[in-house]
Amino acid sequence: MSYRSLSEDLVGGAKAIGAELGVDERRAFHLLERGHIPGFKLGGRWYARRSRLRLHIERLEQSRPSPDHGDVA
């Protein structure tokens, strides 16, 4: 998905970032603080780009072996 402007792409606050990812505010804050998801602080508040979050998730999905390939734990 392509965004027309920065304001459309930008998500402000751990609660809103969590909503984008389907996790609660605490979990999003934890992931941001530890660098597990892309984000940055501006004026003490966390921000993330929707486009970067989406790309990050896609890369995580591609790096995991598919359960369809007979991998047994």
Side-chain angles (χ1 to χ4, degrees), residues 2-70:
S2 179
Y3 298 96
R4 294 171 138 213
S5 68
L6 178 61
S7 63
E8 289 178 354
D9 194 22
L10 206 58
V11 183
K15 186 174 185 176
I17 294 168
E20 287 288 321
L21 297 173
V23 299
D24 65 25
E25 180 178 8
R26 254 181 98 138
R27 182 61 151 170
F29 183 80
H30 173 82
L31 293 169
L32 289 159
E33 283 287 318
R34 289 179 174 55
H36 295 295
I37 57 174
F40 58 94
K41 273 190 173 179
L42 185 62
R45 185 174 186 199
W46 279 105
Y47 290 87
R49 289 178 177 256
R50 286 181 174 95
S51 57
R52 295 280 316 264
L53 290 171
R54 183 178 309 251
L55 181 60
H56 181 72
I57 297 300
E58 288 172 2
R59 286 180 179 158
L60 288 174
E61 289 173 338
Q62 292 170 0
S63 69
R64 275 191 77 133
S66 173
D68 298 349
H69 290 108

